[in-house]
């Protein structure tokens, strides 16, 4: 792909990883990127926040905790997509770091 697109490997690889995450896991976000209502820069930040939430869940489960309740990942994705309509990628980065306290304050 990098030869055809005339891009360096690192950015092209990042774009491929983002596309995979949007297709495989964060499909609602992917739909918004496809329609242009969420920018690629915003999507990168949102995916990082959501993937960090997945990792925190996996770590909690490895430690024997219950982890993140069902439905929280979808709620977090929807909330961050909604916030993308009003916030820059930098602002989304800060908001994303606090997403669990917004969508699941009981955790």
């Amino acid at each position: 792909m990098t030869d055809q697109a005339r891009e360096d490997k690192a950015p092209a690889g990042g774009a491929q990883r983002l596309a995979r995450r949007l297709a495989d896991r964060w499909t609602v976000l992917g739909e918004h990127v496809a329609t242009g209502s969420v920018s690629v820069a915003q999507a990168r930040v949102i995916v990082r926040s959501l993937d960090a939430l997945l990792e925190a869940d996996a770590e909690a489960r490895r430690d024997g905790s219950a982890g993140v309740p069902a439905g929280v990942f979808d709620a977090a994705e929807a909330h961050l997509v909604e916030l993308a309509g009003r916030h820059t990628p930098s602002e989304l980065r800060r908001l994303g770091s606090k997403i669990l306290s917004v969508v699941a304050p009981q955790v």
Side-chain angles (χ1 to χ4, degrees):
M1 173 178 147
T2 57
D3 291 337
Q4 293 173 343
R6 303 272 189 265
E7 290 198 27
D8 291 330
K9 289 183 181 182
Q16 288 176 334
R17 281 189 297 280
L18 177 62
R20 272 195 305 274
R21 295 304 289 149
L22 296 177
D24 295 345
R25 179 60 181 100
W26 308 118
T27 57
V28 171
L29 176 58
E31 291 169 10
H32 285 271
V33 171
T35 65
S37 63
V38 174
S39 73
V40 171
Q42 289 173 312
R44 281 190 184 103
V45 170
I46 292 171
V47 166
R48 276 190 219 116
S49 295
L50 294 171
D51 283 349
L53 185 58
L54 281 174
E55 182 54 39
D57 176 61
E59 187 174 316
R61 291 177 189 279
R62 281 192 299 272
D63 292 342
S65 298
V68 178
V72 169
F73 297 110
D74 293 340
E77 180 182 20
H79 186 70
L80 288 169
V81 164
E82 189 266 326
L83 289 174
R86 302 188 309 269
H87 296 281
T88 67
S90 295
E91 293 167 338
L92 286 169
R93 187 175 298 109
R94 287 189 296 277
L95 293 165
S97 69
K98 299 176 173 94
I99 191 63
L100 190 59
S101 65
V102 173
V103 298
Q106 73 278 11
V107 175

